[in-house]
Amino acid sequence: MPRDERHFDQLLKLLQLERDAEARRLAEERATLSLGELESRGLVLLDLESKEESVGLGGRAVITFVRGDGRPLPASFSSGDLVSVSPRKAEVDFAPSGLVVRATRQQVQVAFDKPPPPWIQEGRLRLDKAANQVTYERIRSAVLKVKGYEHGTVRQRREVLLGRAEPRFERPADFTPTRPLNPEQRDAVAMALAAQDFFLVHGPPGTGKSTVLAEVAFHLAAGGKRLLCTAASNAAVDHLLELCLDQGLSAVRVGHPGRVMPHLQEHTLDLQVEEHPDRILARELFDEAFELLGYARRQRSQGRSRARFSNAREAQGEAKRLMDEARKLERKAVNTVLERSQVVCATCASLDGHVLAGESFDVALLDEATQATEPTALVAFTKAPTVILAGDPQQLSATVLSIQAQAQGLGVSLFERLLEEHGPAVKRLLKEQYRMNQVLMEFPSKQTYGDQLRAHPSVAHRLLELGLEAPPLLFLDTAGKGFDETKAPGTESLRNEGEAGLIIARARALLAAGLPAGELAIISPYRAQAAFIREQLGELEQLEIDTIDAFQGREKDAVLVSLVRSNVDQALGFLTDLRRINVAITRARRHLFVVADSATISAHPYFAALVEYAQAVGGYRSAWEWTG
């Protein structure tokens, strides 16, 4: 149903609710929880010491922090987190902030844009995760900008987004693909290249959405189009960058290098600009300017004579002139790098930052579009007249903290809304999947994708051949074992130690049989369960153990899933979000091992169907009889 301009006002209202909810939650946690509880929830790291300082990541200061007592760090901080550092006990006027570059169980590295104060090298310290309010302001600005598209060519953009004008397409032209494409992929590429306003690529797990995006990027760039690749998350943008580089395109990654995967950092704007002659000259001018400012301070501090004040003013004036010239040279270097790149890759939140504020593009590719809120996705429409949105509305949506905002629709992605308002003609569903054994594929295909998926012959019958029982699907039923769920100490999250024991035993058996640790993952809907299992298998650093949410977009040969819920009330909590479960059961290529209490989960028809399907394909086992 068409909407009017009040739709944008509603989005702004929901965005503010979400902003307030995040600030309120952070304030409440810091006010009510002990330091130990804050650390257990992953909001703070305590008793750290700076181990070493280095220069890297575009000239930034990088500090490595470790525990003073040598104990391992809780696995709660990750690359890209915004953090502030302060003394463990003393008060300071200013706590510098930086970005986590790398975090392990032994140390965490943080990059600072400016050299941190001297006290950072002294005594015990703490790192606190910080909320980034700049993102909200940029997204709010984008919504207001789209709302104001009232005249000229941009009006069409707004009318299409409101459902008051039909999206336009040129006649699809023939193209020569750079790789083999199945019929749905070829059709999706052709339609994306023909789109003038927007187009939707619906990619269920393993169906080659990345292949389609890479092909679209190649042909757009070959046609002389200036291309923007964007997504809500840094990981998704890094993936787009890799796709473009693999296609031989010249691409630059905009954003803090600390938020970029290490092997891609050489492609960041910061590091490319560092080598530009104009940037090298700018650094020299900055050094000279800082020397002059130091001279001016010394002149003032050494006396009050007219000559000294005159010298100080003259030095300050010259320093300002040098800095202005240096900034112009830096901007020139940035513009040169951006202009010579066929593709610019950046998160949605970075698109309205100072680097790209004045930039525009012919086409934008928005990946993982169903994981972005509508206000976030709208940022892409402020940078390009044509946007190709790719995603899967049957997988996880954007995380919304505000219950009120969620109830009023903030969790509905722009992808979903455009599909609802413009109909199936604006979308192509990719149907052939290249990840899962056919047995693993059939259940999600029937339950979630209208029984439309098919397995490519190369994957349809592949198995995990290790000499132990490992059918494609193995459902281990703990009903009656007394493996009740419990609340993890210091958190609201749940864990199930009985299920964890079965998962741990299965992991060790698979590894002992020869499965590489890098091809095994353990996932759970509950953070506390993942953390508990990680503690028990801490010596296996290559083994990935995480929440379902953190594993979206990933795949492994074998995936072990612990659903945790086991209670007499048959309460399932957010297990009833079937998109989350769809993600969990579509990560494995060859072997999916699910541990759950059928007496609890079968209260929901989806899980009852899963148990029945496991029985039908010979993959059901009772924990009472299980010896594997």
Side-chain angles (χ1 to χ4, degrees):
M1 187 176 83
R3 300 164 186 254
D4 60 27
E5 292 77 3
R6 288 175 295 180
H7 174 68
F8 298 114
D9 295 327
Q10 175 68 3
L11 291 179
L12 292 171
K13 172 188 170 186
L14 300 184
L15 192 62
Q16 186 61 48
L17 288 173
E18 181 67 2
R19 182 178 188 170
D20 293 344
E22 182 180 15
R24 186 165 53 250
R25 185 183 73 167
L26 193 60
E28 288 174 355
E29 288 174 330
R30 298 203 184 284
T32 61
L33 300 179
S34 67
L35 284 176
E37 289 172 327
L38 288 172
E39 187 168 40
S40 69
R41 294 196 182 190
L43 297 174
V44 65
L45 285 176
L46 301 172
D47 297 319
L48 300 178
E49 293 180 353
S50 58
K51 178 183 177 183
E52 61 183 36
E53 181 174 351
S54 59
V55 177
L57 301 171
R60 293 174 173 86
V62 179
I63 308 292
T64 300
F65 299 97
V66 297
R67 288 266 203 195
D69 56 11
R71 289 186 296 124
L73 301 172
S76 55
F77 282 34
S78 58
S79 175
D81 284 342
L82 179 67
V83 298
S84 64
V85 58
S86 57
R88 174 71 169 84
K89 295 182 179 180
E91 296 289 334
V92 292
D93 294 331
F94 173 71
S97 61
L99 285 178
V100 174
V101 178
R102 185 168 179 265
T104 68
R105 297 302 300 274
Q106 287 73 42
Q107 62 185 33
V108 56
Q109 292 180 318
V110 180
F112 298 89
D113 288 337
K114 297 179 180 179
W119 54 255
I120 210 166
Q121 302 289 348
E122 305 166 1
R124 296 293 173 92
L125 306 165
R126 60 183 280 176
L127 289 182
D128 289 85
K129 280 187 182 177
N132 191 347
Q133 298 297 324
V134 174
T135 298
Y136 284 104
E137 288 301 325
R138 290 176 176 173
I139 293 173
R140 180 177 180 275
S141 174
V143 176
L144 287 170
K145 188 178 293 185
V146 175
K147 179 186 176 183
Y149 285 165
E150 296 182 353
H151 307 289
T153 57
V154 293
R155 181 177 175 84
Q156 165 72 11
R157 211 178 304 180
R158 187 187 70 170
E159 296 303 289
V160 167
L161 287 168
L162 290 173
R164 300 194 299 206
E166 289 300 312
R168 302 163 299 170
F169 291 86
E170 299 173 345
R171 182 183 298 276
D174 289 334
F175 67 95
T176 302
T178 64
R179 67 191 75 192
L181 301 177
N182 63 46
E184 293 86 9
Q185 289 174 332
R186 190 178 185 108
D187 187 27
V189 172
M191 290 299 294
L193 295 175
Q196 292 181 286
D197 297 299
F198 78 88
F199 180 66
L200 309 177
V201 179
H202 183 179
T207 53
K209 173 171 62 71
S210 296
T211 297
V212 169
L213 292 177
E215 199 71 21
V216 170
F218 175 84
H219 289 286
L220 287 171
K225 302 288 188 183
R226 192 175 191 222
L227 183 61
L228 170 67
C229 286
T230 188
S233 73
N234 283 285
V237 175
D238 285 350
H239 180 57
L240 286 170
L241 174 60
E242 286 185 297
L243 296 180
C244 292
L245 294 173
D246 289 344
Q247 287 284 49
L249 303 179
S250 60
V252 61
R253 174 72 157 91
V254 175
H256 195 297
R259 286 193 166 112
V260 179
M261 288 188 289
H263 71 283
L264 295 174
Q265 287 175 357
E266 64 182 287
H267 301 284
T268 59
L269 179 66
D270 291 56
L271 297 189
Q272 289 191 38
V273 167
E274 282 296 313
E275 305 303 320
H276 194 277
D278 286 333
R279 167 59 179 151
I280 294 172
L281 179 56
R283 283 203 303 268
E284 294 174 358
L285 293 177
F286 275 126
D287 288 342
E288 189 176 344
F290 287 131
E291 287 182 11
L292 286 169
L293 290 174
Y295 170 77
R297 283 194 298 271
R298 289 193 298 274
Q299 286 293 303
R300 285 197 173 91
S301 65
Q302 291 173 1
R304 294 180 172 273
S305 71
R306 182 176 300 175
R308 291 189 185 280
F309 276 112
S310 177
N311 291 340
R313 280 197 304 271
E314 187 176 325
Q316 274 190 309
E318 179 63 9
K320 181 180 183 304
R321 186 189 68 78
L322 291 173
M323 284 186 169
D324 289 343
E325 187 177 346
R327 290 190 182 101
K328 289 178 183 177
L329 286 170
E330 279 192 332
R331 186 66 226 185
K332 183 181 174 185
V334 167
N335 289 340
T336 300
V337 173
L338 292 175
E339 288 169 3
R340 76 187 182 199
S341 301
Q342 294 170 291
V343 186
V344 174
C345 302
T347 61
C348 294
S350 299
L351 299 184
D352 202 34
H354 71 279
V355 173
L356 296 177
E359 301 291 324
S360 60
F361 302 85
D362 298 309
V363 182
L365 301 186
L366 175 58
D367 197 11
E368 303 296 359
T370 51
Q371 286 185 266
T373 64
E374 179 170 341
T376 300
L378 284 175
V379 184
F381 284 84
T382 69
K383 307 303 290 186
T386 305
V387 181
I388 310 303
L389 299 91
D392 181 8
Q394 303 304 327
Q395 296 188 61
L396 286 168
S397 60
T399 300
V400 177
L401 298 178
S402 168
I403 297 174
Q404 190 176 357
Q406 176 72 29
Q408 295 182 40
L410 188 58
V412 177
S413 67
L414 182 60
F415 184 110
E416 294 169 278
R417 187 176 69 75
L418 290 175
L419 178 59
E420 179 183 355
E421 296 191 354
H422 291 285
V426 301
K427 182 198 85 170
R428 290 296 182 271
L429 172 68
L430 306 181
K431 298 180 180 179
E432 188 163 62
Q433 66 87 24
Y434 300 81
R435 174 185 300 168
M436 293 171 277
N437 177 290
Q438 186 167 324
V439 172
L440 296 177
M441 180 206 70
E442 284 181 353
F443 181 77
S445 179
K446 290 176 182 177
Q447 291 290 323
T448 308
Y449 299 104
D451 206 16
Q452 296 185 80
L453 302 187
R454 63 183 184 274
H456 188 269
S458 64
V459 304
H461 305 292
R462 64 182 181 183
L463 300 169
L464 197 64
E465 298 175 350
L466 294 173
L468 79 171
E469 184 183 13
L473 174 62
L474 208 163
F475 183 96
L476 186 58
D477 188 358
T478 65
K481 290 289 287 184
F483 292 167
D484 294 338
E485 65 193 54
T486 58
K487 189 175 291 186
T491 77
E492 294 300 311
S493 187
L494 299 176
R495 71 186 190 192
N496 187 316
E497 296 184 19
E499 279 192 17
L502 294 171
I503 290 284
I504 291 166
R506 182 62 174 175
R508 294 195 184 281
L510 289 170
L511 294 172
L515 180 67
E519 283 301 334
L520 175 63
I522 299 174
I523 58 179
S524 174
Y526 290 91
R527 187 181 303 276
Q529 183 75 340
F532 181 75
I533 295 172
R534 191 184 298 115
E535 288 174 8
Q536 309 304 309
L537 294 172
E539 78 278 8
L540 302 171
E541 290 194 3
Q542 282 187 294
L543 179 60
E544 291 193 64
I545 307 169
D546 218 325
T547 62
I548 295 171
D549 299 45
F551 213 75
Q552 177 155 314
R554 309 288 306 288
E555 59 184 81
K556 298 283 185 179
D557 274 351
V559 175
L560 316 184
V561 181
S562 171
L563 293 182
V564 175
R565 299 312 297 259
S566 179
N567 56 79
V568 295
D569 299 321
Q570 295 183 310
L572 297 184
F574 57 58
L575 258 62
T576 57
D577 181 357
L578 300 183
R579 292 173 299 184
R580 178 174 280 107
I581 305 306
N582 184 47
V583 170
I585 67 173
T586 55
R587 300 304 97 196
R589 302 187 195 106
R590 302 169 186 265
H591 177 60
L592 174 66
F593 182 80
V594 180
V595 180
D597 178 356
S598 67
T600 297
I601 68 170
S602 291
H604 194 289
Y606 178 94
F607 293 106
L610 176 61
V611 174
E612 291 175 7
Y613 180 74
Q615 293 171 333
V617 298
Y620 173 88
R621 303 288 185 276
S622 170
W624 288 95
E625 306 165 342
W626 177 250
T627 58

